[in-house]
PDB file of all heavy atoms in Angstrom:
ATOM      1  N   ALA A 449     108.717  99.108 122.991  1.00 98.00           N
ATOM      2  CA  ALA A 449     108.906  98.506 121.661  1.00 98.00           C
ATOM      3  C   ALA A 449     109.746  97.280 121.753  1.00 98.00           C
ATOM      4  O   ALA A 449     109.692  96.410 120.791  1.00 98.00           O
ATOM      5  CB  ALA A 449     109.598  99.599 120.842  1.00 98.00           C
ATOM      6  N   GLU A 450     110.538  97.064 122.722  1.00 96.00           N
ATOM      7  CA  GLU A 450     111.477  95.832 122.858  1.00 96.00           C
ATOM      8  C   GLU A 450     110.692  94.646 122.858  1.00 96.00           C
ATOM      9  O   GLU A 450     111.008  93.552 122.555  1.00 96.00           O
ATOM     10  CB  GLU A 450     112.387  96.061 124.000  1.00 96.00           C
ATOM     11  CG  GLU A 450     113.488  97.059 123.824  1.00 96.00           C
ATOM     12  CD  GLU A 450     114.517  96.948 124.948  1.00 96.00           C
ATOM     13  OE1 GLU A 450     114.997  95.899 125.352  1.00 96.00           O
ATOM     14  OE2 GLU A 450     114.905  98.116 125.471  1.00 96.00           O
ATOM     15  N   ASN A 451     109.453  94.728 123.318  1.00 94.00           N
ATOM     16  CA  ASN A 451     108.479  93.584 123.487  1.00 94.00           C
ATOM     17  C   ASN A 451     107.550  93.448 122.300  1.00 94.00           C
ATOM     18  O   ASN A 451     106.595  92.714 122.362  1.00 94.00           O
ATOM     19  CB  ASN A 451     107.814  93.671 124.738  1.00 94.00           C
ATOM     20  CG  ASN A 451     108.646  93.539 125.983  1.00 94.00           C
ATOM     21  OD1 ASN A 451     108.806  92.451 126.406  1.00 94.00           O
ATOM     22  ND2 ASN A 451     109.123  94.726 126.503  1.00 94.00           N
ATOM     23  N   THR A 452     107.856  94.096 121.140  1.00 97.00           N
ATOM     24  CA  THR A 452     106.988  94.008 120.019  1.00 97.00           C
ATOM     25  C   THR A 452     107.854  93.452 118.854  1.00 97.00           C
ATOM     26  O   THR A 452     109.114  93.317 119.045  1.00 97.00           O
ATOM     27  CB  THR A 452     106.403  95.345 119.610  1.00 97.00           C
ATOM     28  OG1 THR A 452     107.410  96.237 119.213  1.00 97.00           O
ATOM     29  CG2 THR A 452     105.684  95.981 120.806  1.00 97.00           C
ATOM     30  N   LYS A 453     107.215  93.239 117.693  1.00 97.00           N
ATOM     31  CA  LYS A 453     107.917  92.727 116.594  1.00 97.00           C
ATOM     32  C   LYS A 453     107.942  93.882 115.491  1.00 97.00           C
ATOM     33  O   LYS A 453     108.653  93.538 114.477  1.00 97.00           O
ATOM     34  CB  LYS A 453     107.085  91.478 115.964  1.00 97.00           C
ATOM     35  CG  LYS A 453     107.169  90.320 116.873  1.00 97.00           C
ATOM     36  CD  LYS A 453     106.334  89.080 116.369  1.00 97.00           C
ATOM     37  CE  LYS A 453     106.364  87.931 117.330  1.00 97.00           C
ATOM     38  NZ  LYS A 453     105.631  86.871 116.783  1.00 97.00           N
ATOM     39  N   VAL A 454     107.315  94.923 115.695  1.00 98.00           N
ATOM     40  CA  VAL A 454     107.252  95.961 114.619  1.00 98.00           C
ATOM     41  C   VAL A 454     108.623  96.580 114.327  1.00 98.00           C
ATOM     42  O   VAL A 454     109.403  96.727 115.141  1.00 98.00           O
ATOM     43  CB  VAL A 454     106.173  96.935 114.915  1.00 98.00           C
ATOM     44  CG1 VAL A 454     104.772  96.260 114.940  1.00 98.00           C
ATOM     45  CG2 VAL A 454     106.517  97.675 116.166  1.00 98.00           C
ATOM     46  N   ARG A 455     108.663  97.073 113.096  1.00 98.00           N
ATOM     47  CA  ARG A 455     109.818  97.910 112.721  1.00 98.00           C
ATOM     48  C   ARG A 455     109.531  99.344 113.144  1.00 98.00           C
ATOM     49  O   ARG A 455     108.412  99.769 113.147  1.00 98.00           O
ATOM     50  CB  ARG A 455     110.140  97.867 111.220  1.00 98.00           C
ATOM     51  CG  ARG A 455     111.410  98.640 110.881  1.00 98.00           C
ATOM     52  CD  ARG A 455     112.033  98.188 109.531  1.00 98.00           C
ATOM     53  NE  ARG A 455     113.237  98.969 109.263  1.00 98.00           N
ATOM     54  CZ  ARG A 455     114.407  98.482 109.615  1.00 98.00           C
ATOM     55  NH1 ARG A 455     114.531  97.192 110.182  1.00 98.00           N
ATOM     56  NH2 ARG A 455     115.603  98.988 109.408  1.00 98.00           N
ATOM     57  N   LEU A 456     110.550 100.124 113.614  1.00 98.00           N
ATOM     58  CA  LEU A 456     110.384 101.351 114.218  1.00 98.00           C
ATOM     59  C   LEU A 456     110.830 102.451 113.174  1.00 98.00           C
ATOM     60  O   LEU A 456     111.982 102.505 112.790  1.00 98.00           O
ATOM     61  CB  LEU A 456     111.167 101.460 115.460  1.00 98.00           C
ATOM     62  CG  LEU A 456     110.923 100.423 116.516  1.00 98.00           C
ATOM     63  CD1 LEU A 456     111.943 100.485 117.647  1.00 98.00           C
ATOM     64  CD2 LEU A 456     109.398 100.482 117.050  1.00 98.00           C
ATOM     65  N   ILE A 457     109.851 103.181 112.769  1.00 98.00           N
ATOM     66  CA  ILE A 457     110.117 104.242 111.775  1.00 98.00           C
ATOM     67  C   ILE A 457     110.019 105.606 112.570  1.00 98.00           C
ATOM     68  O   ILE A 457     109.056 106.216 112.844  1.00 98.00           O
ATOM     69  CB  ILE A 457     109.020 104.347 110.750  1.00 98.00           C
ATOM     70  CG1 ILE A 457     108.643 102.831 110.229  1.00 98.00           C
ATOM     71  CG2 ILE A 457     109.378 105.128 109.565  1.00 98.00           C
ATOM     72  CD1 ILE A 457     109.893 102.064 109.631  1.00 98.00           C
ATOM     73  N   LEU A 458     111.246 106.036 112.861  1.00 98.00           N
ATOM     74  CA  LEU A 458     111.523 107.133 113.714  1.00 98.00           C
ATOM     75  C   LEU A 458     111.620 108.468 112.903  1.00 98.00           C
ATOM     76  O   LEU A 458     112.639 108.648 112.186  1.00 98.00           O
ATOM     77  CB  LEU A 458     112.759 107.029 114.603  1.00 98.00           C
ATOM     78  CG  LEU A 458     112.940 107.997 115.770  1.00 98.00           C
ATOM     79  CD1 LEU A 458     113.805 107.288 116.913  1.00 98.00           C
ATOM     80  CD2 LEU A 458     113.491 109.307 115.343  1.00 98.00           C
ATOM     81  N   GLU A 459     110.696 109.312 112.978  1.00 98.00           N
ATOM     82  CA  GLU A 459     110.796 110.630 112.309  1.00 98.00           C
ATOM     83  C   GLU A 459     111.425 111.675 113.263  1.00 98.00           C
ATOM     84  O   GLU A 459     110.876 112.022 114.329  1.00 98.00           O
ATOM     85  CB  GLU A 459     109.316 111.304 111.831  1.00 98.00           C
ATOM     86  CG  GLU A 459     109.599 112.497 111.192  1.00 98.00           C
ATOM     87  CD  GLU A 459     108.212 113.192 110.732  1.00 98.00           C
ATOM     88  OE1 GLU A 459     107.238 112.492 110.617  1.00 98.00           O
ATOM     89  OE2 GLU A 459     108.242 114.405 110.357  1.00 98.00           O
ATOM     90  N   LEU A 460     112.556 112.161 112.984  1.00 98.00           N
ATOM     91  CA  LEU A 460     113.204 113.223 113.727  1.00 98.00           C
ATOM     92  C   LEU A 460     112.606 114.537 113.135  1.00 98.00           C
ATOM     93  O   LEU A 460     112.852 114.842 111.957  1.00 98.00           O
ATOM     94  CB  LEU A 460     114.716 113.226 113.491  1.00 98.00           C
ATOM     95  CG  LEU A 460     115.413 114.155 114.433  1.00 98.00           C
ATOM     96  CD1 LEU A 460     115.159 113.949 115.843  1.00 98.00           C
ATOM     97  CD2 LEU A 460     116.973 114.099 114.152  1.00 98.00           C
ATOM     98  N   LYS A 461     111.914 115.348 113.937  1.00 98.00           N
ATOM     99  CA  LYS A 461     111.283 116.499 113.540  1.00 98.00           C
ATOM    100  C   LYS A 461     112.356 117.574 113.232  1.00 98.00           C
ATOM    101  O   LYS A 461     113.476 117.588 113.744  1.00 98.00           O
ATOM    102  CB  LYS A 461     110.393 117.029 114.644  1.00 98.00           C
ATOM    103  CG  LYS A 461     109.308 115.997 115.060  1.00 98.00           C
ATOM    104  CD  LYS A 461     108.380 115.539 113.917  1.00 98.00           C
ATOM    105  CE  LYS A 461     107.454 116.610 113.472  1.00 98.00           C
ATOM    106  NZ  LYS A 461     106.552 116.088 112.480  1.00 98.00           N
ATOM    107  N   GLN A 462     111.921 118.620 112.472  1.00 97.00           N
ATOM    108  CA  GLN A 462     112.734 119.791 112.146  1.00 97.00           C
ATOM    109  C   GLN A 462     112.817 120.638 113.341  1.00 97.00           C
ATOM    110  O   GLN A 462     111.653 121.237 113.795  1.00 97.00           O
ATOM    111  CB  GLN A 462     112.127 120.507 110.918  1.00 97.00           C
ATOM    112  CG  GLN A 462     112.295 119.757 109.611  1.00 97.00           C
ATOM    113  CD  GLN A 462     111.793 120.563 108.430  1.00 97.00           C
ATOM    114  OE1 GLN A 462     110.576 120.704 108.294  1.00 97.00           O
ATOM    115  NE2 GLN A 462     112.589 121.128 107.563  1.00 97.00           N
TER     116      GLN A 462
END
Side-chain angles (χ1 to χ4, degrees):
E450 289 190 45
N451 293 273
T452 68
K453 297 179 181 179
V454 295
R455 188 160 185 91
L456 303 172
I457 315 300
L458 189 157
E459 179 181 345
L460 186 61
K461 305 300 290 187
Q462 289 181 289

